[in-house]
Amino acid sequence: MTIDDLVEQLRDRGQRATTARRAVLAELLDAGDTHLTADELARRIHAHHPAIHLSTVYRTLDSLTTAGLIAVARFADQPVTYHLATEVHHHAVCARCGATISFSPRVLEPVARRLERDYGFRADPQHLTIQGLCADCSARSGQSRGS
Amino acid sequence: MTIDDLVEQLRDRGQRATTARRAVLAELLDAGDTHLTADELARRIHAHHPAIHLSTVYRTLDSLTTAGLIAVARFADQPVTYHLATEVHHHAVCARCGATISFSPRVLEPVARRLERDYGFRADPQHLTIQGLCADCSARSGQSRGS
DNA sequence: CTTGATGCAAATGGTTTGCATGTTT
DNA sequence: AAACATGCAAACCATTTGCATCAAG
């Protein structure tokens, strides 16, 4: 997966390939698994393109999301984060220490089947976040439970 | 489940039973399944207690959440909503028409088992929202999108 | 009467928007 | 050239906070 691939996809969806969009895609590609907020993206982009404004980053993220190139992830109270949509995944977040685990959509298949069977609902979970306790914290805390 | 029950629970957790808290609990009880935003709550409360300030509602919601009496639900871009924690449930939200289905935590058990087995992660999903298409929209799939 | 909750106003922080200008096609 | 994207500053909206006052235990 290269920036040119992404730019091509962009064009295929009828969107223009501007400097800002290339820059956003480049940074997201560079970030790998890491999810970035609009602000973090803007900061990184500024290193190479000081003129690209935060508001443009927001608009760009919006276009790219609409185009289906990137996906949005929402963690608790934190600002929204973005990542390439190349591979869907979900998160398990430890409520105590904040550790996050990524897991495959396959894990949710039983749920999807159940919702389809019971309600005719066709689940298409884009980015789920499941709370809980990671192995370490759950070992350390025994039965007592935090908020 | 009555307001007095709730107030008792509140006291049990060492929190004070103030007018604001009673009012918030009363409205949430009255709302039933409907999830309310802080603003909606404040508006309703104003009918009986015009002096209760929105910021107090926020603080109250915070206390009640900490006390475990109410739970938070986050829908897409909308402001956070609250509901009584009497019974945990999750939501399937139609990405097209916005229809929501509530489903039981039992549906998620296979996922919880899987996360525990694979990662030692003990899931405690407080309020999940799964996107997808409701039966109706998925039947007439391919149309324009409402809000 | 002590601790904690409230009202108010003002601040915060993430995100959006109007408009004139610049860039992509 | 036409359509669209951008920079900037200002608006927006949900939520939070400092502080003086008030109510619950």
Side-chain angles (χ1 to χ4, degrees):
Chain A
M1 177 67 60
T2 122
I3 299 171
D4 292 334
D5 293 335
L6 292 167
V7 169
E8 197 187 326
Q9 287 181 46
L10 234 201
R11 287 226 170 84
D12 288 350
R13 323 270 163 119
Q15 302 250 35
R16 292 186 177 177
T18 68
T19 314
R21 289 170 187 186
R22 280 172 210 272
V24 167
L25 290 172
E27 291 303 336
L28 287 177
L29 198 54
D30 187 60
D33 295 359
T34 313
H35 297 29
L36 298 175
T37 65
D39 193 66
E40 285 164 349
L41 274 165
R43 237 180 263 293
R44 294 180 182 208
I45 289 171
H46 270 77
H48 306 113
H49 308 275
I52 291 178
H53 200 272
L54 176 59
S55 70
T56 300
V57 172
Y58 274 107
R59 284 191 272 227
T60 296
L61 289 167
D62 201 52
S63 314
L64 296 177
T65 306
T66 303
L69 284 182
I70 65 177
V72 177
R74 198 173 260 290
F75 290 93
D77 288 351
Q78 271 110 270
V80 170
T81 62
Y82 303 83
H83 62 103
L84 289 182
T86 28
E87 137 172 9
V88 180
H89 64 277
H90 305 286
H91 287 289
V93 178
C94 180
R96 182 150 310 168
C97 73
T100 72
I101 290 165
S102 300
F103 62 90
S104 142
R106 291 195 305 99
V107 172
L108 295 174
E109 274 168 17
V111 175
R113 272 201 298 279
R114 181 74 183 268
L115 292 176
E116 171 118 43
R117 208 190 58 197
D118 292 358
Y119 309 100
F121 186 89
R122 303 186 55 188
D124 180 26
Q126 292 305 346
H127 202 117
L128 230 55
T129 304
I130 295 186
Q131 273 200 42
L133 290 183
C134 69
D136 285 357
C137 288
S138 108
R140 224 180 283 121
S141 77
Q143 358 279 55
S144 71
R145 207 206 159 287
S147 57
Chain B
M1 179 65 63
T2 120
I3 300 170
D4 292 334
D5 293 336
L6 293 167
V7 168
E8 196 187 325
Q9 288 181 47
L10 235 199
R11 288 228 171 84
D12 287 351
R13 322 274 161 115
Q15 301 251 34
R16 291 186 178 177
T18 70
T19 314
R21 289 170 186 186
R22 279 172 210 271
V24 167
L25 289 172
E27 290 303 336
L28 287 177
L29 198 54
D30 187 59
D33 294 1
T34 313
H35 297 28
L36 299 175
T37 64
D39 194 66
E40 286 164 347
L41 273 166
R43 238 179 262 294
R44 294 182 183 207
I45 289 170
H46 271 80
H48 305 111
H49 308 274
I52 291 177
H53 200 273
L54 177 59
S55 70
T56 300
V57 171
Y58 275 106
R59 284 191 272 225
T60 296
L61 288 167
D62 201 53
S63 313
L64 296 176
T65 305
T66 303
L69 283 182
I70 65 178
V72 176
R74 199 172 259 288
F75 290 92
D77 288 350
Q78 271 110 270
V80 169
T81 62
Y82 302 84
H83 62 102
L84 289 181
T86 29
E87 141 173 7
V88 179
H89 64 278
H90 306 286
H91 286 289
V93 178
C94 180
R96 184 154 306 167
C97 73
T100 71
I101 290 165
S102 299
F103 62 89
S104 140
R106 290 196 304 103
V107 173
L108 295 174
E109 274 168 17
V111 175
R113 271 199 301 277
R114 183 71 183 270
L115 292 176
E116 170 118 42
R117 207 191 57 198
D118 292 359
Y119 309 101
F121 186 88
R122 303 187 57 188
D124 179 26
Q126 290 307 345
H127 202 118
L128 229 57
T129 303
I130 296 186
Q131 272 198 44
L133 291 181
C134 69
D136 285 357
C137 288
S138 106
R140 54 178 118 75
S141 189
Q143 309 280 318
S144 61
R145 167 181 229 273
S147 52

